[in-house]
Amino acid sequence: MKIVKRYSDDFKREIVELYLTSDLTQQAIADKFGIATHASIQQWVRKFGGEFRTAVMNTPPQNPKSDLPDTPEGMVRRIRELEEALERERMTNLATNKMIDVAERDLNISIRKKSGAKQSKK
């Protein structure tokens, strides 16, 4: 026979607050307080989680300001930063493509999508 534990709403709120304000996982909290399954905590977070929203959490995210430099030196510096970021992304893309090529060749793993309507497996 299965024993069903009933928890008060105050206890559930305390557990939800602990979960939202700590680094503990739902499973760790369930183990610590003798709750049968972490799925119960998931349900409680859905039910009571909105009560613990702070003012910071309720404010909509702001778009980052695009700070355009006012001086020619600032513009040159910003262009240099963007060119360096672009070069890093190009190198990352090159490394990723090389890794995919090696995986497809050496491990016989089909990674890239085949073109056309009929996509056959290798």
Side-chain angles (χ1 to χ4, degrees):
M1 184 171 184
K2 186 176 178 182
I3 298 173
V4 178
K5 288 186 179 179
R6 302 277 181 196
Y7 301 101
S8 69
D9 284 350
D10 291 334
F11 177 76
K12 293 176 185 179
R13 284 184 177 95
E14 286 179 30
I15 296 298
V16 169
E17 184 176 15
L18 175 66
Y19 173 69
L20 293 176
T21 58
S22 71
D23 291 336
L24 295 174
T25 64
Q26 291 177 358
Q27 187 63 53
I29 293 172
D31 294 342
K32 182 176 180 178
F33 289 95
I35 300 168
T37 176
H38 73 279
S40 298
I41 298 174
Q42 286 177 336
Q43 291 174 348
W44 301 345
V45 168
R46 278 189 228 114
K47 184 175 181 182
F48 300 109
E51 297 176 12
F52 298 99
R53 290 186 169 269
T54 63
V56 173
M57 293 171 70
N58 286 329
T59 57
Q62 298 176 349
N63 294 332
K65 293 188 282 182
S66 59
D67 292 330
L68 295 177
D70 294 338
T71 63
E73 295 83 19
M75 290 179 191
V76 169
R77 186 174 49 251
R78 179 69 177 146
I79 290 170
R80 193 173 305 122
E81 289 171 2
L82 292 173
E83 287 175 341
E84 290 171 1
L86 177 61
E87 186 59 29
R88 281 192 304 272
E89 290 303 318
R90 284 182 179 157
M91 294 302 288
T92 302
N93 187 25
L94 180 66
T96 303
N97 282 328
K98 186 60 77 175
M99 184 175 60
I100 290 171
D101 291 341
V102 169
E104 286 182 335
R105 184 190 68 220
D106 294 349
L107 303 175
N108 294 325
I109 300 172
S110 180
I111 298 173
R112 290 194 175 93
K113 183 177 178 179
K114 307 294 184 270
S115 63
K118 195 172 190 180
Q119 298 179 13
S120 61
K121 295 182 180 179
K122 276 189 171 181

